[in-house]
Amino acid sequence: MTFTVAIDGPAAAGKGTISKAVAAHFGFAHLDTGLLYRAVGAKMLGGADPVSAARTLDPADLDADGLRTPEVAQAASQVATNQAVRDALVAFQRSFATRPGGAVLDGRDIGTVICPTAHVKLFVTASPGCRAKRRFDELSDKGMDVTYETVLADVKARDERDRTRAAAPLVPAEDAVLIDTSDLSIDAAVAAAVAVIEDAR
Ligand code: CDP
C-alpha cells in the first residue's frame, strides 16, 4: 500500500512537528525535505559546488551536525533557488514518497511539484511573528546565541526568497487543506492534520 501525505508551508510553521506526529500516528515514514537543501547549503558553505553536492548527496549527509543553524537555513534557501539542485533531489524524494506503508514528506513544493498526486496535501502556516517566536525558542533551547529580531529577519528573508523564486516557488497546491497554527496548540494542530488524513483514507 502506498499513501503519500504532502505537508508544505513557510519557514518554522510547525510542519516538522506535525509531520513527525502524523507519521507516528499512522505508522508512516517521514522525510523532512528541508534537510536535503540544508545539507547542500552546508556543503556550499564548506566550499563545494551546490549542484555537484546535490548530485552526490548521501542519505547519511542528512544526519550531519549543524544543519539547524540560521546560517545553514539561509544557505539552504539560496541553493534551493537553483533548478539543477532541485532536479538532482527529485528522484530520492519521489522514491521515498512511494515506499510501501505510507510516507509523509514536508517541505515547500511537495504537493505542487514532487508529489502532485499525493493522497493528502496540507499547507501549514502561521503569522511571521508566531513562527519567529517558536523558532527563537527552539534555537535558544539548543543553546544557540540568537535574538528574536534576527530570527524574525531570517524567517522573513527566506519566505520572500522561497515565494518569489522561479523554481518551484512556495505556494499552496490548489487542492491543499490550509491549517493556520497561529492560535493552535501542538495537539490541536496535530489533531486537525490527523482528521484530514483520516477522511482521505
Ligand atoms: O524548518 P524550516 O521551515 O525553517 O526550513 P526547512 O524546511 O528546513 O527548509 C530550509 C530551506 O530549504 C527553505 O527555506 C527552502 O528554501 C528550502 N526548501 C525547499 O526549497 N524545498 C523543500 N521541499 C524544502 C526546503
Side-chain angles (χ1 to χ4, degrees):
M1 185 249 357
T2 71
F3 191 91
T4 308
V5 180
I7 304 188
D8 292 305
K15 301 180 299 291
T17 306
I18 292 175
S19 301
K20 277 193 208 96
V22 156
H25 181 94
F26 291 100
F28 297 159
H30 169 227
L31 177 65
D32 170 358
T33 66
L35 277 182
L36 300 170
Y37 295 91
R38 285 174 181 262
V40 174
K43 285 179 186 259
M44 179 185 75
L45 291 176
D49 168 62
V51 177
S52 312
R55 288 185 180 149
T56 55
L57 202 66
D58 187 281
D61 294 332
L62 307 186
D63 299 325
D65 284 338
L67 295 186
R68 298 285 179 193
T69 65
E71 294 72 27
V72 170
Q74 283 293 339
S77 89
Q78 281 160 17
V79 300
T81 63
N82 184 323
Q83 185 67 57
V85 166
R86 305 197 70 85
D87 289 347
L89 302 174
V90 169
F92 177 75
Q93 294 176 82
R94 289 204 177 132
S95 125
F96 192 98
T98 52
R99 58 169 57 195
V104 183
L105 285 81
D106 74 282
R108 302 291 185 287
D109 62 340
I110 308 304
T112 50
V113 174
I114 302 297
C115 306
T117 61
H119 301 81
V120 175
K121 297 179 188 177
L122 302 177
F123 194 85
V124 178
T125 186
S127 70
C130 281
R131 293 187 283 119
K133 170 77 170 66
R134 289 179 194 155
R135 181 54 52 91
F136 169 71
D137 290 345
E138 187 185 325
L139 295 174
S140 305
D141 283 350
K142 285 187 183 158
M144 283 184 221
D145 186 18
V146 287
T147 64
Y148 171 78
E149 286 70 26
T150 56
V151 173
L152 180 62
D154 169 78
V155 159
K156 285 185 170 171
R158 281 199 291 134
D159 285 356
E160 175 67 13
R161 199 182 287 123
D162 292 349
R163 286 193 174 113
T164 58
R165 68 188 178 205
L170 169 66
V171 55
E174 270 177 22
D175 49 349
V177 176
L178 238 76
I179 300 180
D180 187 327
T181 65
S182 303
D183 298 316
L184 294 183
S185 65
I186 291 178
D187 285 352
V190 171
V194 165
V196 176
I197 297 164
E198 287 286 9
D199 260 8
R201 289 227 308 162

